Amino acid sequence: MTLVSQTAEGGGQNVSLRLLKTYPMEIILAGLVLFLILMAPGFASTANILNVLRTVAMLGIIAFGMTAVIISGEIDLSVGAGVALAGCIVAWFADAYTDAIGGWGAVILGFAVALTVGFSLGYLTGRFRQWFNVPTFITTLALFAALRGVANLITGGFPLSTFPTGFDFLGGGYLFGIPFPVYIFALTFAAMHFLMKYTSFGREVYAVGGNMEAARLSGIDIWKVKALTLGLTGALTAISGTLIASQIGAGTGTTATGMELDVIAAVIIGGTSLFGGKGRIWGTLIGVLFLGCISNGMTLMNVSEYWQYVVRGGIILGAVLLNQVLERVR
C-alpha cells in the first residue's frame, strides 16, 4: 500500500514537473490572474477585461511580427517610431485630401501609403544588413530617431486630427460588445501562427535563425527570409499605428514612445530566444497578455508608476533566466 502511494505521488510530481517545463508562462499567467482577481479591485469586471484586451491588441499586433524577426536572428528597435509615423501619414492624407476624394477615401489612401512605407522600410533594413553587413540593431536604432523626426515634419510638430466621422470606431469602437482592435489582434495571431507553424516560409525562418550557414547550404535565400520578416513587422506596425491614431483621434509624432521595449519584452517573456531559432507565436500571445495584466493590475492597486517600471524590468530579467533554466533542464 505504501509503495503504491509513493508511486502515485511520484507520478503526480512527474506530471507537475512536465507541465511546468512545457507551459511555464501559462502557469505563471494563470497564477497572476488569480492573484489580481483577489487583490486588485475591479480587475475581473467585464469592462476592465475588455480594456486590457484593447490595450494589448495594439502591442500584440506588432509583437507577433517581432517574434518572426527575432526567431530569424534579427531585431527591430524602430517599431514605436514606426507607429507614430504611420498615424501621422494617415492623418496627413486625411487633412490634405478629404476635400478632393472624401474623408474615407483619404484615410484609405493614407493607410495604403503607411502600409507600403512600413513594409518597404523593414524590407530594406533586411537588405541593408545583407549589402553592408550592418547589424539590424544599429540600422533600426537609426530609424528609431529618424522616423520620429519625419513624423513631426509631416505634422509640423502638432497633432493632426482631421479624420472623417466614424474613423474613431477602428480604435475605440465595439463590435458585438468586443473592442474592434481585438478582432484585428485575433486575426493577426491566427495568421502569424499559421504562417510560422504550417508554411514553408515559417520553417525557413526557424532554419535561418537556428543555423544561418546550414540554411544557406540547404538552398534557402537567408537574406530574403530576414528581409521579409522585417517587412512584415513594418506592415503590422502600420496597422497598429492606424488603430492608435483612431483611438486617440490624432496623428502625432509623440505616439507610442517606448513601445518597442514593450514589444520586445512580450516576445522574450513568451519564450522566444534572442539568439534566434526558437520561439512560438502562442508564447508571444501569453507574453502580451502577461504584460497587459500586470500593468493594469498594478494601476488598479495604485502602485507607483516608478515601481511599475522596476517590476516590469524584473519580470523581463526573470523571464530570460527562467527560459535559460528550463532550456538546460529540457
Side-chain angles (χ1 to χ4, degrees), residues 86-98:
C88 289
I89 289 174
V90 174
W92 185 87
F93 272 87
D95 184 63
Y97 290 99
T98 291

Side-chain angles (χ1 to χ4, degrees), residues 22-305:
T22 308
Y23 306 107
M25 288 310 303
E26 288 87 341
I27 293 171
I28 294 173
L29 175 61
L32 172 66
V33 169
L34 179 60
F35 173 79
L36 292 176
I37 288 173
L38 296 173
M39 301 301 295
F43 177 80
S45 68
T46 301
N48 187 64
I49 295 299
L50 291 176
N51 180 53
V52 171
L53 290 175
R54 183 198 301 278
T55 301
V56 301
M58 317 296 191
L59 178 72
I61 289 169
I62 305 173
F64 296 140
M66 184 69 78
T67 305
V69 170
I70 294 178
I71 290 173
S72 75
E74 303 299 332
I75 197 164
D76 189 344
L77 299 178
S78 67
V79 292
V83 165
L85 177 63
C88 289
I89 289 174
V90 174
W92 185 87
F93 272 87
D95 184 63
Y97 290 99
T98 291
D99 292 340
I101 59 177
W104 277 103
V107 163
I108 292 170
L109 178 60
F111 174 68
V113 171
L115 202 65
T116 302
V117 169
F119 178 84
S120 299
L121 286 174
Y123 187 83
L124 287 173
T125 296
R127 290 304 188 182
F128 203 83
R129 172 82 166 87
Q130 174 188 4
W131 297 331
F132 302 103
N133 198 30
V134 178
T136 50
F137 176 89
I138 300 299
T139 308
T140 57
L141 186 62
L143 283 174
F144 167 81
L147 295 185
R148 286 208 181 271
V150 173
N152 282 302
L153 286 172
I154 289 173
T155 63
F158 296 95
L160 282 181
S161 55
T162 310
F163 291 122
T165 301
F167 180 70
D168 60 336
F169 172 81
L170 298 179
Y174 289 79
L175 183 63
F176 305 116
I178 298 173
F180 183 74
V182 176
Y183 290 97
I184 308 300
F185 174 63
L187 286 173
T188 305
F189 166 75
M192 287 300 301
H193 177 72
F194 179 82
L195 180 69
M196 294 299 292
K197 191 168 184 178
Y198 298 108
T199 69
S200 58
F201 176 75
R203 290 189 289 273
E204 289 175 352
V205 173
Y206 281 100
V208 169
N211 190 323
M212 193 163 67
E213 183 59 19
R216 185 186 67 80
L217 292 173
S218 67
I220 297 174
D221 188 340
I222 58 175
W223 298 113
K224 181 180 179 181
V225 169
K226 288 175 178 283
L228 285 174
T229 61
L230 287 158
L232 178 61
T233 301
L236 293 175
T237 297
I239 294 173
S240 182
T242 302
L243 292 174
I244 290 175
S246 167
Q247 184 182 34
I248 65 177
T252 171
T254 58
T255 302
T257 301
M259 189 178 190
E260 55 281 332
L261 300 180
D262 288 336
V263 168
I264 294 170
V267 176
I268 294 171
I269 290 170
T272 298
S273 172
L274 280 172
F275 299 103
K278 296 177 182 177
R280 298 180 304 158
I281 299 298
W282 170 260
T284 297
L285 173 64
I286 298 300
V288 167
L289 293 175
F290 186 87
L291 281 181
C293 286
I294 199 162
S295 178
N296 177 265
M298 287 192 293
T299 300
L300 291 175
M301 294 169 67
N302 293 318
V303 176
S304 165
E305 183 180 359

Side-chain angles (χ1 to χ4, degrees), residues 1-14:
M1 186 68 178
T2 303
L3 180 59
V4 172
S5 300
Q6 289 176 345
T7 303
E9 183 179 349
Q13 290 175 347
N14 288 334

